[in-house]
Amino acid sequence: MRTAAEVIKKPWTESPPRRAWTSCIHERIDYIFISNNYWIDDERPCLTYAMRGHIRMVVSVQGPKQNVHAGVDGGAVVEPTIDLCYILGTLVDGAGRVCVPGFYEDVRASSEDDDAAFDRIAFDTTQYRHELGVQRLAQAAERNALRARWAEPTLSITNVQTSNGDQAFSVIPHKATAQVSIRFVPDQKADEIVTVVRHHLEHEFNKRNSGNQLSVEVVQVSQWWRSETSSPYFGAARAATKEVWGCEPLLVCEGGTMHTTCMLVDHFEAPALHLPMGQSSDGAHLPNERIRIQNLVNGQAVVYSFLEHLSKEGTTEEGDEGDRDELVA
Amino acid sequence: MRTAAEVIKKPWTESPPRRAWTSCIHERIDYIFISNNYWIDDERPCLTYAMRGHIRMVVSVQGPKQNVHAGVDGGAVVEPTIDLCYILGTLVDGAGRVCVPGFYEDVRASSEDDDAAFDRIAFDTTQYRHELGVQRLAQAAERNALRARWAEPTLSITNVQTSNGDQAFSVIPHKATAQVSIRFVPDQKADEIVTVVRHHLEHEFNKRNSGNQLSVEVVQVSQWWRSETSSPYFGAARAATKEVWGCEPLLVCEGGTMHTTCMLVDHFEAPALHLPMGQSSDGAHLPNERIRIQNLVNGQAVVYSFLEHLSKEGTTEEGDEGDRDELVA
């Protein structure tokens, strides 16, 4: 059973060849520039300045040593699947609020800048509900859907499986497994979240006193990431986007490549910037994935302009570690 | 959404060719003799005189119109999977007791004959636990495991699935589905059980007020079956088994071909008998399924002897509908 800290502390740079390579370029990295995100709609250019962290956990309950027959043994066996459903059902209430004691501790209060950025986006919850096809959003989200999606932690059950592979109605599965995906935010710590979630699951499981075995395993942890929007790098990206697209970019907190971003930031001790280049409807990773030619051409122009702005301003970033005079983009 | 009654009332004999065939042989069926079961261990010959009924239900909760991204929409969406786990977790407690109000109504009290038959089997719960590989059995079963398995109703969750087919930790499934398998006993009625289970699920689901959609569907119903052990047919089977194997058969309440048995009993209005012929370790439906030659040879001898005993006694069965003078085995 691994803790979140153990999962985090297995660096990608452990192997000797990688160590040699990274040590030789380490000193020359001032800034990490990633363009692998999308706008939040098809119209408005964006800059990503934060992403929630991600904890992947696997929770399983094991009972008999193999599947048993529901008609023969049903009633005599306390079923692992029902134990698992019970404990999973205690995690989140019907309004989307995570019911694990201590889960929301350390969540950083919304700043005025964040509120202003969220307000500027003028997010339409009615349209969002329509796009999702749901009758209602989680309670908190109705008032402030963006805050719920970007600045609040959340807990999802992304899959449940049993050992009854043939889906026979006459089989009691001897094991049931769930995937739990937790998104966490500044200033939450992965290890503390794992501890409270694990404790809650064990507490609820022990209430049942079923004699089955619970296992809670951390599979992967990606830290939350947040860049300083007041840095000269971020300023150069804002100015360049405005220059090319003719409007201020929206400052958003959604995007991908999160695990890699945190790993690079951590390893090179350099800040990062995400420049979303495509439209929300580009169909990322789906069939017929595309990018509009205008976005590609203007995207290149934003990168040129970003470098120009930086060279005019000088590149030493206040508040970041080290004094670096070069930019490796 | 079908009710249990609708599911039961779709007879196999509906098609015109089957109707013609069954009407021509209908009058000639006195008794239904089935040999498709196994002993409850490898040593002691058995006769099956009852089997629990079986209700197969599918319960699902649907939310957004398609899967959504846990990192992008997590926190704003109330998840169908958590709704489903919650309601499933309310069905059975940690001691295996079904928590649905009204579920145990109409369960026939154990008769002295049943108790005597169960006692005679001298069922070893320690060995049973060891075979299953569980720390403990359901509470009721510790006192009377056979009654829990044969004469008490039970509710199993035989599978849970989500619409996240790739099992990605970044996907919130838009739909989650569970299979519920209910075993029921004399004198419970399938329709009433379905009604109380459906009502309970709806009640628990409505508590969450999540805006998602619940669906409860009955897939198949097989009635419980119980034969009269005092009938001349059953008496002939007991005598024949004793004659061939040299010991009284154990009277047991487990076996297969339940749906077919009930269908035949219902359609031909004739009683049925199950003669288990193989040993419990024969590996039914598994690779290297087998039957011991001695069981095959003695099994044939039991059938011959059974017919002989019937011909000596006369074959009119007391307590069954109709006066039949012929036996079609």
Side-chain angles (χ1 to χ4, degrees):
Chain A
M1 209 183 271
R2 294 187 299 168
T3 66
E6 283 165 343
V7 171
I8 296 166
K9 290 206 171 116
K10 192 182 164 198
W12 67 298
T13 46
E14 248 174 14
S15 72
R18 281 202 180 277
R19 253 205 315 268
W21 180 76
T22 52
S23 75
C24 108
I25 64 162
H26 188 287
E27 296 306 313
R28 305 181 59 196
I29 304 295
D30 292 284
Y31 206 71
I32 297 148
F33 185 98
I34 300 170
S35 181
N36 193 29
N37 289 357
Y38 299 82
W39 298 350
I40 61 164
D41 57 29
D42 275 2
E43 305 299 329
R44 300 176 289 180
C46 301
L47 284 177
T48 302
Y49 71 99
M51 289 187 287
R52 297 191 285 190
H54 191 191
I55 302 169
R56 296 165 181 82
M57 296 173 86
V58 169
V59 181
S60 49
V61 179
Q62 177 133 13
K65 57 189 174 191
Q66 58 199 17
N67 293 344
V68 297
H69 195 292
V72 175
D73 304 298
V77 170
V78 187
E79 301 183 18
T81 308
I82 302 184
D83 279 352
L84 182 70
C85 287
Y86 175 83
I87 62 172
L88 295 177
T90 67
L91 288 170
V92 184
D93 71 15
R97 181 92 185 158
V98 181
C99 305
V100 175
F103 186 80
Y104 291 96
E105 224 162 85
D106 300 328
V107 174
R108 193 186 293 179
S110 202
S111 71
E112 280 181 21
D113 279 356
D114 283 334
D115 289 343
F118 292 177
D119 286 345
R120 230 185 110 233
I121 288 169
F123 186 66
D124 182 343
T125 54
T126 306
Q127 189 191 331
Y128 179 53
R129 270 198 293 112
H130 182 73
E131 279 166 11
L132 291 173
V134 296
Q135 279 185 13
R136 68 182 73 113
L137 301 174
Q139 199 172 38
E142 275 293 1
R143 298 198 311 275
N144 192 340
L146 286 185
R147 180 155 174 86
R149 294 168 62 192
W150 293 352
E152 291 281 351
T154 186
L155 187 153
S156 298
I157 297 172
T158 57
N159 201 38
V160 183
Q161 272 189 306
T162 74
S163 56
N164 178 11
D166 295 336
Q167 300 167 38
F169 277 94
S170 55
V171 168
I172 295 173
H174 78 289
K175 188 174 181 183
T177 306
Q179 296 177 187
V180 175
S181 159
I182 297 167
R183 304 286 167 162
F184 66 111
V185 298
D187 298 311
Q188 292 184 297
K189 286 156 214 79
D191 243 8
E192 287 173 13
I193 293 173
V194 168
T195 300
V196 295
V197 170
R198 189 196 298 280
H199 180 265
H200 174 83
L201 289 169
E202 287 170 351
H203 174 75
E204 292 297 328
F205 181 75
N206 290 338
K207 272 189 196 170
R208 292 184 62 83
N209 191 30
S210 69
N212 292 324
Q213 306 301 313
L214 171 69
S215 141
V216 179
E217 197 195 349
V218 180
V219 176
Q220 192 180 37
V221 174
S222 309
Q223 296 290 6
W224 49 262
W225 166 78
R226 191 181 164 105
S227 71
E228 288 304 323
T229 55
S230 58
S231 80
Y233 292 96
F234 202 89
R238 276 176 101 149
T241 306
K242 187 172 179 183
E243 192 172 287
V244 172
W245 286 102
C247 61
E248 272 282 342
L250 298 179
L251 305 191
V252 303
C253 307
E254 67 178 52
T257 324
M258 184 177 56
H259 195 66
T260 310
T261 304
C262 297
M263 193 177 65
L264 293 173
V265 165
D266 190 47
H267 185 70
F268 293 115
E269 293 166 12
L273 174 84
H274 270 269
L275 175 77
M277 211 177 270
Q279 298 165 290
S280 66
S281 62
D282 279 1
H285 310 317
L286 296 177
N288 296 324
E289 184 174 2
R290 56 147 205 177
I291 186 163
R292 185 170 60 161
I293 290 172
Q294 191 188 349
N295 282 54
L296 201 57
V297 172
N298 283 10
Q300 285 180 306
V302 170
V303 177
Y304 290 135
S305 170
F306 166 69
L307 294 171
E308 271 179 3
H309 276 278
L310 276 183
S311 66
K312 279 181 213 155
E313 287 194 30
T315 54
T316 305
E317 176 144 349
E318 284 168 25
D320 289 318
E321 293 96 341
D323 291 322
R324 300 185 184 87
D325 294 325
E326 288 173 48
L327 174 77
V328 179
Chain B
M1 209 184 270
R2 296 187 298 169
T3 66
E6 282 165 344
V7 171
I8 296 166
K9 290 204 171 121
K10 192 180 165 200
W12 67 298
T13 46
E14 248 173 13
S15 71
R18 282 201 180 277
R19 253 205 315 268
W21 180 78
T22 53
S23 74
C24 108
I25 65 163
H26 189 287
E27 296 306 313
R28 304 180 60 196
I29 303 294
D30 293 284
Y31 206 69
I32 296 147
F33 186 97
I34 299 170
S35 181
N36 193 29
N37 289 358
Y38 300 82
W39 297 351
I40 61 163
D41 56 31
D42 275 3
E43 306 299 329
R44 299 176 289 180
C46 302
L47 284 176
T48 302
Y49 71 98
M51 288 187 287
R52 296 190 287 191
H54 192 191
I55 302 169
R56 296 165 182 80
M57 296 174 85
V58 170
V59 181
S60 50
V61 179
Q62 177 133 13
K65 58 188 172 189
Q66 57 199 18
N67 293 345
V68 298
H69 195 291
V72 175
D73 305 298
V77 170
V78 187
E79 302 183 18
T81 309
I82 302 185
D83 279 352
L84 181 69
C85 287
Y86 176 82
I87 62 173
L88 295 177
T90 67
L91 287 169
V92 184
D93 71 14
R97 182 91 185 158
V98 181
C99 306
V100 174
F103 186 79
Y104 291 96
E105 224 161 87
D106 299 328
V107 174
R108 191 186 294 179
S110 200
S111 70
E112 281 181 22
D113 280 355
D114 283 334
D115 290 343
F118 292 178
D119 286 345
R120 228 186 111 233
I121 288 169
F123 186 65
D124 182 343
T125 53
T126 306
Q127 190 190 331
Y128 179 53
R129 270 199 293 112
H130 181 75
E131 280 166 12
L132 290 172
V134 296
Q135 279 186 13
R136 69 183 69 116
L137 301 174
Q139 197 173 43
E142 276 293 1
R143 296 198 314 275
N144 194 340
L146 285 185
R147 180 156 173 86
R149 294 168 61 191
W150 294 352
E152 291 281 351
T154 186
L155 187 152
S156 299
I157 298 172
T158 57
N159 201 38
V160 183
Q161 273 189 305
T162 74
S163 58
N164 178 12
D166 295 335
Q167 299 167 39
F169 277 94
S170 55
V171 167
I172 295 172
H174 79 291
K175 188 175 181 183
T177 305
Q179 295 176 188
V180 175
S181 159
I182 297 167
R183 304 285 167 162
F184 66 112
V185 298
D187 298 311
Q188 291 185 298
K189 286 156 213 78
D191 242 7
E192 289 174 10
I193 293 173
V194 168
T195 300
V196 295
V197 171
R198 189 196 298 280
H199 180 266
H200 174 82
L201 290 170
E202 287 169 352
H203 174 76
E204 293 296 330
F205 181 76
N206 289 339
K207 272 188 195 171
R208 292 185 60 85
N209 190 29
S210 69
N212 292 324
Q213 306 301 313
L214 172 70
S215 142
V216 180
E217 197 195 349
V218 180
V219 176
Q220 193 180 38
V221 173
S222 309
Q223 296 290 4
W224 48 263
W225 165 78
R226 191 180 165 105
S227 72
E228 289 304 324
T229 54
S230 59
S231 80
Y233 292 96
F234 202 89
R238 274 176 103 149
T241 306
K242 186 172 180 183
E243 193 172 286
V244 173
W245 286 103
C247 61
E248 271 283 343
L250 298 179
L251 305 191
V252 303
C253 305
E254 67 177 54
T257 322
M258 184 176 57
H259 195 67
T260 310
T261 305
C262 297
M263 192 177 66
L264 294 172
V265 166
D266 189 48
H267 185 70
F268 293 115
E269 293 166 11
L273 173 84
H274 270 270
L275 176 76
M277 211 178 271
Q279 297 164 291
S280 66
S281 62
D282 280 0
H285 310 317
L286 296 177
N288 295 324
E289 185 175 2
R290 56 144 206 179
I291 184 163
R292 185 169 60 160
I293 291 171
Q294 190 187 350
N295 282 53
L296 200 57
V297 172
N298 284 10
Q300 284 180 307
V302 170
V303 177
Y304 290 136
S305 171
F306 167 70
L307 294 171
E308 272 179 0
H309 276 279
L310 277 181
S311 66
K312 280 180 214 157
E313 287 193 32
T315 54
T316 305
E317 176 145 350
E318 285 168 24
D320 288 317
E321 293 97 340
D323 292 321
R324 299 185 184 89
D325 295 325
E326 288 173 50
L327 173 77
V328 179

